[in-house]
Amino acid sequence: MARAATTTDVFNAIAEPGRRQILDLLANGELSVNELVEQLGLAQPQVSKRLHVLREVGLVLVRDDGRQRYYRLNGRALKPIHDWIRRYEQMWNDRFDALDDLLEELHD
């Protein structure tokens, strides 16, 4: 289970599955709190709490329109995470490929 996210802990903020669900939904565009509540099937306080954490770490931006708030992803904040994941994904893929080659040689 993820620890409570701090305002500087982006990786920990996205470790919680409910927050990742919100990020996935926002990847399709800007949504209001009501739209997020409806799509997630959660109570408004649960959604607002998760949005608050995502805003604190800078992954989500908010726009007020009258009494409604609209949320969207902050691509600049997500890019370093994306780059880090790609770098380590490639490293592990290379290691698994080398391991497959080694196991194939041992099998022959």
Side-chain angles (χ1 to χ4, degrees):
M1 175 174 253
R3 298 173 293 140
T6 64
T7 57
T8 60
D9 195 347
V10 174
F11 285 97
N12 204 31
I14 61 173
E16 197 269 321
R19 292 186 211 125
R20 282 197 312 272
Q21 282 182 299
I22 289 173
L23 293 174
D24 287 343
L25 290 172
L26 293 177
N28 296 319
E30 187 177 74
L31 294 170
S32 70
V33 174
N34 293 338
E35 291 168 323
L36 287 167
V37 165
E38 184 178 309
Q39 290 187 35
L40 292 168
L42 298 173
Q44 187 272 334
Q46 292 173 307
V47 173
S48 291
K49 183 178 177 182
R50 288 179 172 118
L51 284 168
H52 176 75
V53 171
L54 293 170
R55 284 183 64 202
E56 286 289 316
V57 298
L59 293 174
V60 172
L61 301 172
V62 65
R63 175 179 66 86
D64 290 323
D65 186 14
R67 295 180 65 183
Q68 190 67 265
R69 285 190 151 184
Y70 292 91
Y71 293 86
R72 69 182 186 282
L73 290 179
N74 180 2
R76 286 185 180 192
L78 284 171
K79 184 165 179 6
I81 295 165
H82 179 266
D83 293 347
W84 184 86
I85 290 169
R86 286 190 61 126
R87 183 171 47 252
Y88 281 92
E89 179 183 41
Q90 185 60 50
M91 179 190 72
W92 283 107
N93 284 338
D94 291 347
R95 288 184 182 200
F96 285 131
D97 289 345
L99 182 58
D100 284 344
D101 293 344
L102 178 63
L103 290 173
E104 211 171 282
E105 287 176 21
L106 291 174
H107 186 265
D108 293 340

